[in-house]
Amino acid sequence: MTNKAILQLKDIFLRFTGEIHEVKVLNGINLDIFKGSSVAILGPSGSGKSSLLSIVTGLEKQTSGTVSVGGHILDHMNEDQLALFRRDNIGIVLQSFHLIPTMTALENVAVPLELAGQKDALKKAEEALNHVGLSYRLTHFPSQLSGGEQQRVAIARAMAPNPKIIFADEPTGNLDGKTGHKIIELIFDLQNKFNTTLILITHDPEVAKKCDRILYIQDGLIKESKESKKIKAAV
Ligand SMILES: Nc1ncnc2c1ncn2[C@@H]1O[C@H](COP(=O)(O)OP(=O)(O)O)[C@@H](O)[C@H]1O
Ligand SMILES: [Mg+2]
């Protein structure tokens, strides 16, 4: 059995041309992530964690290098192709919840399912909200929910279409410690249950230790922690 990467980065550079200096954010990143694994990305503020996430989710184009996610090479896709790629392959959870304020929890979770043309979108959305422990909040609007509940809705929305990979960028950044802890537990429970690949940006080394691998971004490069476990690729 050969190892198969669900996400592969080859020589990724990201540079911004400023008025005075060129800003070098990523300086030649090479990375293979295997299906079903969990990977934490740590690094100081401004080290390029979110930029890397934007590149692998097709929200930003790298300056050079090749990005392959779930068998799709993103490098030359246009915006429409990237939107379809995101819809069909990945889920994203961010620090701020980005729920649609005029829609209920149920409707928010149903949006990506409806966009994907799924007939029983509302039923699947309800199941996803059950999985995050919010079956009693289906008809609440985001403003009627606590921060932790809003993040649960955002997680349900990301997971409902059964994505191959979940990307989470500091998902507890807007939550208090106890609520954040519960959200992290939930993310790992769901990852286990659905065998999703998880890429989790965090500043918390204890959270990172829950992952199979721990990566650091430093000087625009990725370094693997000695604490990373040996990964058996699930092909
Ligand atoms: N559009 C941009 N133009 C210039 N610099 C940028 C742009 N976007 C991000 N950066 C810079 O890239 C660096 C990495 O940012 P970011 O990826 O958000 O870091 P992190 O998520 O690790 O805190 C920062 O120095 C930031 O200022
Ligand atoms: Mg960031």
Side-chain angles (χ1 to χ4, degrees), residues 5-9 31-34 56 67-70 165 167 199:
I6 193 165
L7 185 152
Q8 188 165 55
L9 302 179
L31 179 64
D32 281 1
I33 289 176
F34 298 114
V56 296
V67 180
S68 165
V69 181
I165 311 188
F167 296 94
I199 299 175

Side-chain angles (χ1 to χ4, degrees), residues 8-214:
Q8 188 165 55
L9 302 179
K10 284 190 189 155
D11 277 330
I12 298 297
F13 285 79
L14 179 66
R15 306 208 151 148
F16 295 105
T17 28
E19 290 194 358
I20 305 168
H21 299 291
E22 190 183 41
V23 183
K24 298 177 177 179
V25 181
L26 303 175
N27 293 319
I29 288 192
N30 288 290
L31 179 64
D32 281 1
I33 289 176
F34 298 114
K35 193 168 170 246
S37 62
S38 55
V39 179
I41 299 180
L42 292 163
S45 180
S47 58
K49 304 182 296 297
S50 296
S51 301
L52 184 64
L53 187 115
S54 299
I55 289 171
V56 296
T57 54
L59 294 166
E60 174 140 46
K61 277 268 195 281
Q62 67 274 23
T63 308
S64 63
T66 288
V67 180
S68 165
V69 181
H72 303 273
I73 293 173
L74 308 195
D75 307 348
H76 305 296
M77 286 189 187
N78 63 32
E79 289 305 321
D80 289 346
Q81 292 168 323
L82 288 167
L84 285 180
F85 155 77
R86 277 191 292 275
R87 188 193 77 181
D88 294 335
N89 294 276
I90 66 173
I92 306 177
V93 179
L94 300 171
Q95 181 171 336
S96 46
F97 319 120
H98 295 286
L99 300 176
I100 299 168
T102 53
M103 287 186 171
T104 64
L106 187 67
E107 289 164 349
N108 266 283
V109 177
V111 166
L113 299 167
E114 280 164 356
L115 288 175
Q118 298 206 14
K119 284 188 196 112
D120 42 2
L122 283 174
K123 189 166 159 279
K124 285 186 177 151
E126 187 174 345
E127 278 168 21
L129 283 162
N130 286 342
H131 284 307
V132 301
L134 279 187
S135 47
Y136 60 102
R137 288 285 187 271
L138 302 182
T139 57
H140 282 58
F141 290 92
S143 62
Q144 299 170 319
L145 298 171
S146 70
E149 287 170 337
Q150 288 184 62
Q151 191 62 309
R152 281 173 194 269
V153 176
I155 291 168
R157 179 182 56 185
M159 294 291 292
N162 276 323
K164 297 187 183 100
I165 311 188
I166 287 279
F167 296 94
D169 190 352
E170 308 209 25
T172 63
N174 280 345
L175 305 172
D176 65 71
K178 195 173 161 208
T179 308
H181 185 75
K182 285 188 181 159
I183 289 291
I184 290 293
E185 292 295 321
L186 173 66
I187 288 174
F188 281 98
D189 283 352
L190 293 172
Q191 194 240 338
N192 262 319
K193 196 167 190 169
F194 297 104
N195 197 31
T196 317
T197 308
L198 171 67
I199 299 175
L200 173 65
I201 295 174
T202 177
H203 56 262
D204 185 339
E206 290 305 312
V207 170
K209 279 183 192 162
K210 292 174 181 286
C211 291
D212 299 320
R213 291 172 73 187
I214 303 176

